[in-house]
Amino acid sequence: MPLNFSFMENNTITAKMPVSDILEQMNSYEHEEVLFFNDKETGLKGIIAVHNTVLGPSLGGCRIWNYASEAEALYDVLRLSRGMTYKSAISGINLGGGKSVIINADKSSRTEKFWKKFGEYVDSLNGKYITAEDVGTSTNEIAYIMQKTKHVSGKPIDAGGSGDPSPFTAFGVYLGMKATAKMAYGSDSLDGKKILVQGIGHVGQFLIDHLAKENAEIIVTDINQQNLNAISQKHKVKVISPDDVYSYDMDIYAPCALGATLNSETIPLLKCHLVAGAANNQLQNETLHGMMLKDRNIIYAPDFLINAGGVINCYREVVGLSAEEAMKITEKIYDKTAEVLERAKTENSTPQQTAISIAKERIEQGKNK
Ligand code: NAD
């Protein structure tokens, strides 16, 4: 049900809005702080959610998206920021979880001024939230944002940053996929495996580079024809329609587009042994859909665990690590995935619930320090 609130100037929420609903949602997700922002001049409006800062400042990308409602945007930012908390916690890095969403800004409004204004809102949180790239943002936008705040990561390489985090994300997803394949098949070789990559964007294209080196049989789908053309020129891939994904006969499904593709409609159709991809929040409902996959003997590699390469790369900017050091942390995704899958099996739990438990255990330890 859509919430009855609207965006107000100066980050204030007025009595007209059912604030209790928002606080209730924050409470159920255990959020520390949520900032609504609106700038009439540039048309910039959105939400920054700080989920948890026990292990360090909250870090997470800025997503720009056409949401059907403000309630949908709030839901997205709350879920995504919580996922960032788990992601950093399970990866062993000292960051908390945060995220920002910018709502329904058409391309022509996304000017330099627009992004600088967003930088001001990030800055107003005094380092409690560090922004980065996500869907719809790249190092180009980061270059504007960083003019207004130092609380930015994923900065362009020529500005002393670590650049696009996507290759690191893709490498982690690849390692997580291999560890999951080991659990499913007894070997982590992807040679000859039919792997369907849904979404050939920043991460999907780099993931395919790794899969091609292993001689996997690669199937791709995207709604962007340019991306499909580019990947078809680079690698031997089979292109299928986005509508045919869920009933396609494959070994491995790699969601690398948007979240919630694992739901009550799609899971009964799936013909695969495992799911391992980059998209955030792949399970529409963590408990129900995690169980549905388990009941169908489809092994699910928790998204926030295997797509952590990007945040690890951003972390290196925050604390000043070398690319090699960040890569070493990313490499641990293989062993962590194996550990989660083993523990889930022993505990008769789902990999998602086990991964969340491990992340929460680390946060609890952090509280006691
Ligand atoms: P992107 O926007 O570059 O790529 C997404 C691709 O998915 C695009 O090519 C788009 O056309 C395609 N797509 C959208 N809807 C589709 C549909 N219905 N069917 C098929 N294809 C569709 O984004 P990205 O940076 O590659 O990230 C992909 C996913 O991974 C996102 O969910 C993102 O949040 C997540 N992620 C990204 C990173 C990173 O480092 N970029 C890190 C962690 C998680």
Side-chain angles (χ1 to χ4, degrees):
M1 196 181 76
L3 294 175
N4 179 24
F5 65 82
S6 55
F7 289 90
M8 303 299 288
E9 304 265 11
N10 307 324
N11 313 324
T12 53
I13 296 168
T14 72
K16 278 188 209 159
M17 302 174 208
V19 178
S20 60
D21 278 357
I22 299 171
L23 289 171
E24 212 172 286
Q25 290 187 70
M26 284 174 68
N27 197 38
S28 75
Y29 284 108
E30 299 181 57
H31 275 76
E32 291 177 9
E33 193 168 339
V34 174
L35 169 73
F36 290 79
F37 54 86
N38 177 64
D39 182 57
K40 217 167 179 179
E41 199 185 333
T42 56
L44 170 74
K45 59 185 178 192
I47 312 170
I48 299 174
V50 175
H51 178 253
N52 187 292
T53 56
V54 169
L55 298 173
S58 75
L59 188 147
C62 170
R63 174 170 294 192
I64 187 155
W65 192 250
N66 283 334
Y67 290 101
S69 65
E70 292 167 4
E72 192 184 291
L74 179 65
Y75 177 72
D76 205 27
V77 78
L78 292 181
R79 289 238 302 170
L80 288 166
S81 52
R82 185 184 55 164
M84 292 306 298
T85 298
Y86 296 155
K87 191 181 303 201
S88 290
I90 203 164
S91 303
I93 58 178
N94 294 327
L95 287 175
K99 201 87 182 179
S100 51
V101 293
I102 293 178
I103 302 173
N104 306 358
D106 56 39
K107 285 216 164 109
S108 62
S109 68
R110 302 178 202 175
T111 57
E112 181 174 343
K113 210 169 173 185
F114 176 98
W115 290 112
K116 284 182 174 169
K117 191 72 205 172
F118 175 67
E120 286 176 20
Y121 284 117
V122 171
D123 205 56
S124 73
L125 289 168
N126 295 317
K128 207 182 247 187
Y129 169 66
I130 302 170
T131 198
E133 295 93 342
D134 194 65
V135 176
T137 47
S138 67
T139 48
N140 297 335
E141 287 75 33
I142 295 292
Y144 293 133
I145 297 167
M146 61 187 274
Q147 291 178 40
K148 291 292 175 185
T149 182
K150 61 178 194 245
H151 306 300
V152 192
S153 58
K155 293 195 279 273
I157 289 171
D158 58 12
S162 61
D164 178 12
S166 307
F168 288 81
T169 304
F171 183 56
V173 170
Y174 165 65
L175 294 178
M177 183 185 286
K178 280 178 79 65
T180 312
K182 179 103 196 275
M183 174 60 98
Y185 305 114
S187 156
D188 71 5
S189 169
L190 301 177
D191 191 352
K193 292 281 179 290
K194 279 193 252 175
I195 306 177
L196 194 161
V197 183
Q198 180 186 39
I200 317 301
H202 286 92
V203 182
Q205 53 169 317
F206 290 114
L207 175 62
I208 288 174
D209 290 343
H210 294 293
L211 304 183
K213 275 189 216 138
E214 283 223 29
N215 280 327
E217 199 180 314
I218 303 164
I219 303 109
V220 296
T221 188
D222 202 295
I223 51 169
N224 181 323
Q225 192 56 44
Q226 270 181 344
N227 289 359
L228 289 171
N229 293 346
I231 204 73
S232 302
Q233 276 164 18
K234 192 169 179 198
H235 292 294
K236 187 174 167 225
V237 295
K238 178 174 179 185
V239 178
I240 64 162
S241 154
D243 298 336
D244 295 338
V245 167
Y246 305 108
S247 54
Y248 196 84
D249 194 1
M250 55 190 154
D251 297 307
I252 300 175
Y253 167 42
C256 296
L258 291 171
T261 60
L262 297 168
N263 54 53
S264 300
E265 280 77 49
T266 59
I267 294 172
L269 303 176
L270 284 179
K271 290 184 196 148
C272 63
H273 306 116
L274 61 110
V275 179
N280 285 311
N281 296 335
Q282 291 165 32
L283 298 167
Q284 190 177 62
N285 178 307
E286 263 163 20
T287 313
L288 173 69
H289 298 124
M291 277 311 292
M292 279 178 74
L293 286 170
K294 183 171 178 287
D295 289 347
R296 289 215 49 216
N297 286 325
I298 296 173
I299 307 179
Y300 174 68
D303 47 12
F304 66 84
L305 165 61
I306 72 167
N307 72 12
V311 78
I312 293 167
N313 193 46
C314 288
Y315 179 62
R316 102 171 137 100
E317 270 180 58
V318 177
V319 293
L321 297 178
S322 66
E324 291 70 33
E325 286 167 315
M327 197 47 99
K328 277 208 177 110
I329 305 176
T330 306
E331 279 168 8
K332 290 184 184 162
I333 289 176
Y334 184 101
D335 287 342
K336 288 227 167 90
T337 308
E339 180 197 330
V340 165
L341 297 178
E342 278 297 342
R343 186 167 147 181
K345 201 169 151 187
T346 310
E347 293 174 352
N348 195 22
S349 174
T350 66
Q352 182 80 358
Q353 292 304 339
T354 299
I356 290 173
S357 300
I358 293 173
K360 284 185 169 173
E361 284 162 16
R362 182 160 177 249
I363 294 165
E364 277 309 308
Q365 285 162 10
K367 274 185 194 162
N368 300 329
K369 276 190 182 157

